[in-house]
Amino acid sequence: MRTPTKGLLGVMAVGLLALALPVQAADVTPKRLLNADREVGNWIHHHRTFDGQRFSPLSQINKSNVGDLQIVATSMLAGIQAGGRYKYAVLEGTPIAEDGFLYVTDGWNNVYKIDVRTGDRATIVWRWDPEQDKDYVASSGCCQARNRGVALWGNQVIQSTMDGRMVGLNKDTGELVWEVKTADNELMESHTGAPLVIGDTAINGVTGAEYGIRGHLDAVDLNTGKIKWTTYTIPAPGEPGHETWEDKYDAWMTGGGSVWQAGSYDPALNLTYWGIGNPSPQFDSEYRPGDNLYTESTIAMDVDTGEIKWHFQYTPNDPYDYDEVGEAQLIDIQIGGEDRSLAVKVARNGFTYGFDRANGQFLYAVQYAEVVNWTTGIDQKTGRPLSYDPNLRGEAQGYVPGTPGRRDGRLSVFCPHLGGGKNWQPAAYNRDTQLLYTSSLEACSAYTTTVGGVGHWADKGNKLGTLKNRHPAGWRGRNSVDRNTPKPLMDSRGSVTAIDPRTGEPVAKVMTRSRPSGILTTAGGLVFSADDTGDIYALDANTLETLWTRNLGTGVAAPPMSYSYGGKQYVAVLVGKAPGSTTRRQYPETAHIQATNMLFVFAL
């Protein structure tokens, strides 16, 4: 059994106040998880509540005083060291807050319990090290060492690791209670997303579509630590959707369909909603003719069985890498005097979609990205791209000529960027303004497709390299950098957009220097985000005017969150990312910013 690494003061008092406070918190019961919104000061789900809204009802920090927000506590985390082909890990998690304690992860999947009850310091109580082979897990993942957080259940902290485990840790001591294998690194599967705990079940999916996995979601019975059900995101022969893989060489077996962002849940319908990523090969759609379900889709599943009750696919036969792994916000709102229960999805392909969340009825799709060129629009009756040809059989979708890659080596240019639009970075819905806020990258991509190409693990000589060279066609395609994109499409910016979920129409937008990290919105009339230039900022939830900003000296990839303790509201964020190449090129002053691993806590 692995043992936790104690923090410096993990077994010592942190002052007289801490001595007077109870160390053990109450169990996180299914009832508490169901009623998480009533715990105003806590944040006990990845998105705070099952509906994925990431709305805090706290208002002590508001538009009138947010300019006085200051750093009140920090904590340096481990996990910044290099591993395999990665120079450092990235912090992308959302802290879980319960009764003055934060539960966080770093990019190498260390888990921490941090005491923030005194308000002026953040003391690590314990740290659990998953003791992973860093070179091994680095080679089995596409995009840096990262983890997006944990979940709580009973007296346990639940995490999914890059080396393919789901684990339960004792919440008080950090000791490993159980573990179960839910991803296979030998098949290039991994975990980066936070689990979603519903009742006594934890659900999470696997990553690895860039390398030809067959994606799946797994439900683990937390009472036994055993897998309850598995739902594959690529249907096998005889299963609904398999007919959308129209090749003759079983491309579905390595068809992709990753999951790397926590889903949402409607308890009245007993449905959980998850976003599914790209097909494989990543860019070579000629290799996999057909729509390629359930890639680039939202799927609604029965929590008890994993059965897919409805689905919607955004970009069939995707040649652009428009992973649609992002969360769906579940919003109850009046439209034309009628109460509607919506699932709203801000998609990576540049459009916001609305659905009836009970049956998946398509309601609208509206462009939110500044530039979209891969399609001429969306059919408002079917939700299909207008540039999609439903009569194609055994061929790749053409979409707008010049935008999809082809094997003849032509340079293809498409917008939004292959990273979106919105990516995994979560959006947030404010119940007071009744607006949905999303971060986005406003940019385009250019690339060519390389036939017979393989992933970037292939020349490393590691133990995974020989296992995966099994596609007769290109795995990823070769992705050229944005500076090769013809003008006027080469500028790269970020944005925060406010969207009316009744219609999908954008009502306000503010441009940022780079892609914002994800959104927090509060009853104080605020929208918080941050970016890899090192800035964290608060915007007016009505106008998106910047009301406060602070540079933290290193890049931010994780979304902020808010909690309260002892009658005081705090904003917390994990900080640790070097600026990307586009940011460094456009803003030379960021060229030497170093990555670090820190927790920052702010208050008035």
Side-chain angles (χ1 to χ4, degrees):
M1 177 179 290
R2 295 174 174 84
T3 57
T5 303
K6 294 287 184 181
L8 180 63
L9 298 180
V11 294
M12 300 175 61
V14 291
L16 293 177
L17 177 59
L19 281 171
L21 295 171
V23 174
Q24 282 192 312
D27 282 357
V28 177
T29 63
K31 184 177 180 180
R32 284 187 64 193
L33 291 171
L34 192 62
N35 298 306
D37 200 33
R38 298 179 185 176
E39 300 189 21
V40 176
N42 285 336
W43 188 293
I44 61 172
H45 287 291
H46 180 69
H47 299 305
R48 187 176 174 272
T49 47
F50 275 136
D51 53 26
Q53 293 182 5
R54 300 183 76 92
F55 171 76
S56 171
L58 298 172
S59 59
Q60 187 179 85
I61 301 169
N62 55 56
K63 288 191 279 189
S64 68
N65 59 25
V66 69
D68 298 325
L69 209 57
Q70 300 292 329
I71 298 170
V72 296
T74 62
S75 183
M76 176 68 77
L77 307 180
I80 195 171
Q81 67 269 32
R85 57 194 172 87
Y86 298 144
K87 295 180 180 179
Y88 56 88
V90 176
L91 293 184
E92 291 184 350
T94 299
I96 297 293
E98 184 194 24
D99 301 335
F101 292 94
L102 301 181
Y103 300 87
V104 304
T105 61
D106 64 35
W108 287 117
N109 301 176
N110 292 287
V111 182
Y112 305 77
K113 180 177 182 175
I114 302 176
D115 188 343
V116 290
R117 292 175 297 171
T118 63
D120 62 352
R121 64 182 62 216
T123 304
I124 296 174
V125 179
W126 53 255
R127 174 173 69 90
W128 179 76
D129 184 346
E131 300 177 12
Q132 300 175 113
D133 180 334
K134 292 183 175 59
D135 178 63
Y136 187 70
V137 298
S139 297
S140 66
C142 86
C143 313
Q144 298 231 223
R146 60 191 67 206
N147 183 276
R148 297 187 179 90
V150 298
L152 299 182
W153 176 82
N155 192 40
Q156 295 181 21
V157 181
I158 312 300
Q159 189 206 24
S160 295
T161 65
M162 288 182 67
D163 64 357
R165 292 172 286 155
M166 184 181 287
V167 302
L169 310 175
N170 184 287
K171 193 167 63 171
D172 299 319
T173 67
E175 293 176 323
L176 180 67
V177 179
W178 57 267
E179 64 179 27
V180 61
K181 197 74 171 175
T182 47
D184 187 348
N185 280 162
E186 292 291 327
L187 296 176
M188 306 300 278
E189 295 177 350
S190 185
H191 291 301
T192 59
L196 177 67
V197 173
I198 301 171
D200 293 335
T201 301
I203 304 172
N204 208 353
V206 299
T207 69
E210 288 75 15
Y211 305 115
I213 67 165
R214 182 186 174 208
H216 54 91
L217 287 130
D218 300 278
V220 173
D221 185 329
L222 295 172
N223 293 298
T224 65
K226 296 181 179 180
I227 294 176
K228 183 178 176 181
W229 53 254
T230 295
T231 296
Y232 283 93
T233 59
I234 308 297
E239 296 177 347
H242 179 76
E243 70 281 358
T244 66
W245 294 81
E246 298 177 1
D247 61 274
K248 304 299 182 184
Y249 33 83
D250 294 331
W252 67 272
M253 296 179 68
T254 51
S258 292
V259 178
W260 29 284
Q261 174 60 297
S264 47
Y265 170 58
D266 184 333
L269 298 169
N270 200 37
L271 293 179
T272 183
Y273 307 82
W274 292 77
I276 311 301
N278 63 273
S280 180
Q282 189 171 1
F283 297 111
D284 187 2
S285 57
E286 290 180 276
Y287 177 73
R288 43 173 173 77
D291 288 355
N292 306 147
L293 286 176
Y294 292 97
T295 64
E296 313 304 31
S297 298
T298 292
I299 60 173
M301 297 187 299
D302 183 284
V303 170
D304 298 323
T305 65
E307 180 185 358
I308 297 174
K309 294 297 187 179
W310 64 261
H311 74 276
F312 182 87
Q313 188 176 45
Y314 302 93
T315 311
N317 188 236
D318 174 31
Y320 308 113
D321 193 29
Y322 284 154
D323 299 73
E324 295 300 356
V325 297
E327 75 297 333
Q329 275 75 33
L330 310 184
I331 300 171
D332 295 324
I333 199 167
Q334 279 202 341
I335 302 178
E338 179 185 0
D339 291 332
R340 296 302 302 261
S341 295
L342 306 181
V344 181
K345 162 80 173 194
V346 185
R348 187 159 160 174
N349 68 12
F351 296 87
T352 302
Y353 295 77
F355 308 96
D356 183 302
R357 68 175 181 261
N359 56 26
Q361 177 192 2
F362 170 76
L363 301 176
Y364 59 74
V366 179
Q367 182 177 328
Y368 70 89
E370 288 289 289
V371 181
V372 173
N373 75 342
W374 66 273
T375 184
T376 55
I378 303 294
D379 187 318
Q380 295 302 308
K381 292 182 179 179
T382 67
R384 291 289 198 182
L386 292 175
S387 303
Y388 166 84
D389 184 351
N391 297 313
L392 280 180
R393 290 293 178 268
E395 299 180 47
Q397 284 292 329
Y399 290 114
V400 172
T403 63
R406 290 293 180 259
R407 296 180 180 185
D408 59 9
R410 77 186 81 169
L411 181 69
S412 300
V413 180
F414 60 90
C415 316
H417 187 274
L418 68 90
K422 179 189 180 299
N423 201 296
W424 69 267
Q425 291 85 356
Y429 173 72
N430 190 300
R431 300 171 195 167
D432 297 328
T433 64
Q434 296 190 317
L435 293 175
L436 178 65
Y437 304 91
T438 187
S439 62
S440 180
L441 177 64
E442 305 286 356
C444 303
S445 285
Y447 76 104
T448 57
T449 298
T450 303
V451 178
V454 291
H456 42 216
W457 45 264
D459 59 352
K460 306 303 277 190
N462 62 66
K463 53 192 168 185
L464 295 168
T466 59
L467 297 175
K468 299 292 128 278
N469 190 7
R470 61 181 191 261
H471 256 306
W475 274 96
R476 303 185 65 205
R478 181 172 56 82
N479 194 30
S480 61
V481 295
D482 286 339
R483 62 175 171 268
N484 291 338
T485 306
K487 293 181 179 181
L489 304 178
M490 66 180 295
D491 290 339
S492 178
R493 300 285 303 278
S495 67
V496 176
T497 305
I499 295 168
D500 185 343
R502 300 173 187 83
T503 63
E505 292 288 345
V507 297
K509 175 174 282 196
V510 61
M511 303 301 291
T512 59
R513 297 211 297 174
S514 64
R515 180 200 294 277
S517 63
I519 306 295
L520 160 70
T521 188
T522 73
L526 298 171
V527 172
F528 287 89
S529 194
D531 61 42
D532 69 352
T533 68
D535 289 341
I536 183 171
Y537 36 84
L539 311 176
D540 185 304
N542 293 110
T543 66
L544 298 186
E545 174 191 359
T546 301
L547 302 178
W548 169 82
T549 187
R550 178 74 180 261
N551 188 274
L552 302 179
T554 187
V556 187
M561 53 80 69
S562 188
Y563 68 94
S564 68
Y565 189 76
K568 190 167 186 175
Q569 181 183 359
Y570 300 89
V571 173
V573 66
L574 294 173
V575 176
K577 182 184 186 295
S581 58
T582 300
T583 299
R584 295 196 302 270
R585 186 171 65 250
Q586 293 186 195
Y587 307 106
E589 69 274 18
T590 68
H592 300 293
I593 289 178
Q594 300 299 304
T596 188
N597 277 6
M598 295 283 291
L599 168 73
F600 279 80
V601 181
F602 304 84
L604 296 173

